[in-house]
Amino acid sequence: MQRFSIPLQGAQMLFVAFGALVLMPLITGLDTSVALFTAGIGTLLFQLVTKRQVPIFLASSFAFIAPILYGVQTWGIPATMGGLMVSGLIYVLLGATVKIRGVGFIHQLLPPVVVGPVIMIIGLGLAPMAVNMALGKTGDGSVQLINTNTALIISLASLSTTILVATFAKGVARLMPILAGIIVGYSISLFFDVVDFTPVQQAAWLSMPNFVAPEFHWQAILFMIPVAIAPAVEHIGDILAISNVTGKDYIKKPGLHRTLAGDGIATMAASAFGGPPNTTYSEVTGAITLTKSFDPRIMTWTAITAIILAFVGKLGALLQTIPVPVMGGIMCLLFGSIAAVGLNTLIRNQVDLSEPRNLSIVAVTLVFGIGGMAFGIGSFSLTGISLCGIIAILMNMILPKTDKNHQAEH
């Protein structure tokens, strides 16, 4: 029985991550089966780079939703994947820089006053899409897919369930609010007869995921590179969190340079197959905290389970039948939560917004991001999170720092 314990725990960890893992490709139009496959491959590669010392699972990153949506619309999926692959390379280069210059380099380049507003833009920039989908429309609001009143009932039920589970549920159930929201919303959608099962009937039980090879276009690459800022900082936070849970300092061993490089290589591998970029999953870290199962081999089996499920064609087709309002309702909470994480970054690090320097960085970043500012030269244009990230970093480098700013960074 003991010999089956670790594989079963691994499958349970995937169940915890499943809702968030598949929601990201569903929102961006990527293949959910590919996302399962690349989450598994990415986690195994991360374990290889970190010598299987960190009990952590990698899967679809929500920080990349807006850039992927823009990239797919502007350059197509292959070129977007090429840009994401270079973003993964940035992680690897960050890891190498940390190895040479130490962890302090990250805090100097990306202090809270830069990271906070950029993370807020990731969430707030997606707010219109969440509302449109909750109302039964396409993400851009151009087409009404489901009757508005029906869509509102479904989306509000999904949203309410997600909130209630996140707030009141106990144990492992509390770590699966997105999955609970999807199940309830999907059940109500069945009652209103707005689910089309044709794709499931046509799908084979076993099939190859719809892999997409990357293509490299300099515009897509330059657009994607700055997007790596927020997930890189999120990665450091997750590694610190899992270190606190297990009582081991993973920043020192295997080292932040290895975990960053592992995350980057996982993202590059995901992009090579047409999957969403990978990031460390805090839901799984929460599950580890509850179960006290610190064995990294569990994550190996979580990854293997994800890879196996990727080849179940009926499952991939079933996930594609989830109606738009179900995702829209959950996204209302999800994207707001991302913005709240950015706000919390400013509060937790006591960023003084009465300081003209800090106020300027935060204010310009937020208005540029929410207002849709774009800088263009010829056929190249910079907009959204990429523009906000670059502007925030440049302002932080150029504007003179007061003694308070220096003290806050050290």
Side-chain angles (χ1 to χ4, degrees):
M1 195 68 190
Q2 183 66 31
R3 138 180 101 161
F4 295 111
S5 173
I6 288 177
L8 285 172
Q9 287 182 67
Q12 177 182 279
M13 291 299 175
L14 181 63
F15 193 64
V16 171
F18 194 82
L21 194 166
V22 300
L23 186 63
M24 194 275 195
L26 285 171
I27 293 167
T28 54
L30 300 180
D31 191 280
T32 50
S33 296
V34 175
L36 278 163
F37 179 83
T38 54
I41 291 295
T43 300
L44 293 177
L45 286 170
F46 178 85
Q47 290 196 328
L48 184 67
V49 174
T50 59
K51 301 179 180 179
R52 201 156 77 167
Q53 294 182 23
V54 188
I56 211 161
F57 182 70
L58 280 71
S60 315
S61 171
F62 285 105
F64 284 91
I65 290 176
I68 289 174
L69 285 167
Y70 181 83
V72 170
Q73 184 181 356
T74 309
W75 302 291
I77 291 178
T80 301
M81 291 299 131
L84 291 170
M85 186 174 278
V86 177
S87 284
L89 181 60
I90 297 299
Y91 279 53
V92 178
L93 295 175
L94 271 175
T97 309
V98 167
K99 172 73 172 172
I100 296 165
R101 298 188 55 180
V103 181
F105 160 77
I106 297 282
H107 299 299
Q108 290 174 355
L109 180 68
L110 304 170
V113 72
V114 168
V115 175
V118 170
I119 294 176
M120 289 173 73
I121 289 302
I122 291 172
L124 295 175
L126 294 166
M129 170 187 279
V131 171
N132 283 329
M133 291 176 72
L135 292 171
K137 302 176 184 177
T138 52
D140 59 3
S142 60
V143 180
Q144 187 77 43
L145 301 173
I146 295 173
N147 175 274
T148 304
N149 292 335
T150 303
L152 269 174
I153 293 170
I154 296 168
S155 59
L156 289 177
S158 301
L159 173 61
S160 301
T161 302
T162 307
I163 293 171
L164 290 172
V165 171
T167 307
F168 296 108
K170 304 294 182 185
V172 176
R174 189 173 186 175
L175 301 169
M176 296 185 281
I178 293 175
L179 186 60
I182 290 174
I183 290 170
V184 170
Y186 197 88
S187 301
I188 295 173
S189 300
L190 289 172
F191 175 78
F192 282 106
D193 197 25
V194 294
V195 181
D196 180 12
F197 285 110
T198 307
V200 182
Q201 293 167 355
Q202 294 175 345
W205 276 103
L206 294 176
S207 64
M208 285 289 288
N210 187 27
F211 295 126
V212 178
E215 295 175 1
F216 297 95
H217 294 267
W218 64 271
Q219 290 171 301
I221 289 170
L222 288 177
F223 174 78
M224 285 294 178
I225 286 174
V227 182
I229 294 170
V233 175
E234 178 190 18
H235 171 91
I236 296 169
D238 284 338
I239 295 299
L240 286 170
I242 193 67
S243 294
N244 291 333
V245 169
T246 61
K248 297 179 180 178
D249 190 354
Y250 297 120
I251 298 289
K252 291 184 178 178
K253 183 183 179 183
L256 184 62
H257 62 288
R258 281 187 178 275
T259 63
L260 273 169
D263 204 336
I265 290 169
T267 291
M268 292 171 73
S271 305
F273 288 99
N278 283 317
T279 190
T280 46
Y281 258 35
S282 52
E283 296 98 323
V284 175
T285 300
I288 290 169
T289 307
L290 283 175
T291 60
K292 307 296 181 188
S293 303
F294 303 147
D295 191 336
R297 288 180 300 169
I298 293 171
M299 297 306 150
T300 304
W301 281 102
T302 305
I304 291 169
T305 307
I307 292 169
I308 292 169
L309 288 178
F311 292 92
V312 180
K314 293 281 188 189
L315 175 62
L318 182 65
L319 292 171
Q320 298 293 338
T321 65
I322 297 174
V324 162
V326 176
M327 294 184 283
I330 297 168
M331 286 157 59
C332 288
L333 174 64
L334 189 68
F335 296 157
S337 299
I338 295 172
V341 169
L343 181 61
N344 191 45
T345 300
L346 297 174
I347 295 168
R348 191 178 64 248
N349 292 280
Q350 298 181 326
V351 175
D352 186 0
L353 293 181
S354 66
E355 285 281 331
R357 176 185 186 279
N358 292 342
L359 182 62
S360 299
I361 295 171
V362 173
V364 172
T365 304
L366 288 176
V367 172
F368 275 23
I370 296 171
M373 177 64 78
F375 291 166
I377 301 173
S379 60
F380 173 71
S381 67
L382 203 59
T383 186
I385 302 162
S386 303
L387 175 63
C388 291
I390 291 171
I391 292 295
I393 289 172
L394 288 176
M395 289 181 73
N396 179 60
M397 291 169 64
I398 293 168
L399 296 177
K401 297 179 181 178
T402 63
D403 290 336
K404 277 185 185 178
N405 291 130
H406 280 296
Q407 289 169 7
E409 285 180 20
H410 291 290

